DNA sequence: TTCTCAAGAAAGAATGATTATCCCTTCACT
DNA sequence: AGTGAAGGGATAATCATTCTTTCTTGAGAA
């Protein structure tokens, strides 16, 4: 896990670099994404920001998250049927363990994926830009409580 | 690639086994899924069925695909923002190469995933039920035509 | 310091894939 | 033939996300 403060600084830098303003709303959003505790959804970010910025609109969170995604400072984990989740702490493809009961998402420790992608690119002729590996199951805590 | 006819037979068997009827509409859908040329979406299945069964409703395709998914005879590849895609030819988790330009999806040849999942389960305490590996990029054909 | 205007934020409408609901039809079994 | 559950067709509802509109802000220019 990267230092959240470093990630905040990097994100601020990227915003400025590309001529985007660092507004209080954006700062609040990117601080949460920099830590990405639990890989929050837009809705979760929204709830955590409400106390500090009660007037902030959901659309603003969506726009900020997508802006950071376009700047490649946030990884989007999209799910059809439920809300997308975001990781701004490790802004590059990496595998995840998803609990289908409590909907928790944690980083999984698997390596060699990038090399695998390169090998596959050479073999198939595809120009591979990114990848995604997800494991779905029941987390230890949810197994206890049945 | 499994023999599509074998897959058709297996799907019919599973439907009967669980007390579901094999109706003309279901048969038409599962025949397409058994081959799964291009990993069709519900909409694509719908279009291919129209000539033979002009009155079939989209909802019927959705219901049939989900029924086969519940019977574990079809793998669903869900994408937020665009339509889900289905593979009834290899009804178990396997990696895919996705072209972000032409939206084509082909099976990728990568093995060791199941073993990796087992290893991860042991290491993390998760009860892993399934997984998904996708590579995203530009297919050779789309690279040619820029 | 005031002015100006493009970027950003807020609010709500629109979108679109999927699911739910309703009602009619079909079929297996008596 | 009669009956009841399962299936199909049509349409409405759902809900995350995006779009549109309008209002606000703030970094330079003068
Ligand atoms: Mn992560
Ligand atoms: Mn496949
Ligand atoms: Zn859990
Ligand atoms: Zn392509």
């Amino acid at each position: 896990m990267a230092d959240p403060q470093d990630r905040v600084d990097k994100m601020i830098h990227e915003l400025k670099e590309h001529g985007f303003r660092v507004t209080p709303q954006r700062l609040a959003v990117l601080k949460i994404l920099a830590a990405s505790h639990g890989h929050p959804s837009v809705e979760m970010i929204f709830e955590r920001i409400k106390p500090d910025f009660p007037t902030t609109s959901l659309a603003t969170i969506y726009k900020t998250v997508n802006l950071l995604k376009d700047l490649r400072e946030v990884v989007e984990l999209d799910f059809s049927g439920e809300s997308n989740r975001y990781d701004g702490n490790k802004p590059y493809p990496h595998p995840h363990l998803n609990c289908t009961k409590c909907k928790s998402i944690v980083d999984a420790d698997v390596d060699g994926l990038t090399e695998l992608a390169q090998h596959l690119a050479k073999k198939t002729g595809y120009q591979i830009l990114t990848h995604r590996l997800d494991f779905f199951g029941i987390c230890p805590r949810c197994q206890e409580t049945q």
Side-chain angles (χ1 to χ4, degrees), chain A:
Chain A
M1 166 131 177
D3 178 26
Q5 188 54 52
D6 290 349
R7 294 293 308 133
V8 168
D9 295 342
K10 176 77 190 318
M11 289 182 190
I12 291 174
H13 176 78
E14 285 301 314
L15 282 174
K16 286 181 175 168
E17 194 90 59
H18 290 81
F20 296 107
R21 294 187 200 153
V22 181
T23 64
Q25 291 90 337
R26 285 183 176 167
L27 191 58
V29 170
L30 71 77
K31 274 182 180 170
I32 290 172
L33 287 170
S36 287
H37 287 127
H39 298 80
S41 65
V42 164
E43 192 74 40
M44 292 168 184
I45 297 172
F46 182 60
E47 291 302 325
R48 285 173 54 186
I49 280 183
K50 249 184 193 167
D52 299 322
F53 300 88
T55 70
T56 303
S57 163
L58 246 191
T60 298
I61 317 283
Y62 272 106
K63 281 187 276 193
T64 303
V65 165
N66 279 315
L67 176 57
L68 289 168
K69 184 180 69 170
D70 292 345
L71 292 174
R72 312 219 169 248
E73 290 301 318
V74 159
V75 165
E76 181 181 67
L77 303 172
D78 63 303
F79 300 92
S80 90
E82 44 199 308
S83 299
N84 294 350
R85 306 281 288 267
Y86 297 89
D87 188 332
N89 188 258
K90 299 169 72 173
Y92 45 84
H94 59 279
H96 291 94
L97 276 163
N98 304 57
C99 178
T100 52
K101 275 204 171 172
C102 67
K103 305 299 177 190
S104 68
I105 301 178
V106 301
D107 293 344
D109 193 17
V110 174
D111 42 37
L113 258 289
T114 307
E115 293 70 23
L116 182 60
Q118 286 175 349
H119 175 250
L120 205 63
K122 184 161 291 181
K123 198 172 68 175
T124 63
Y126 272 67
Q127 178 186 346
I128 295 177
L129 303 170
T130 185
H131 64 263
R132 178 165 171 199
L133 174 57
D134 280 278
F135 298 92
F136 299 91
I138 317 289
C139 74
R141 175 203 264 274
C142 283
Q143 288 175 50
E144 282 175 20
T145 57
Q146 270 317 320

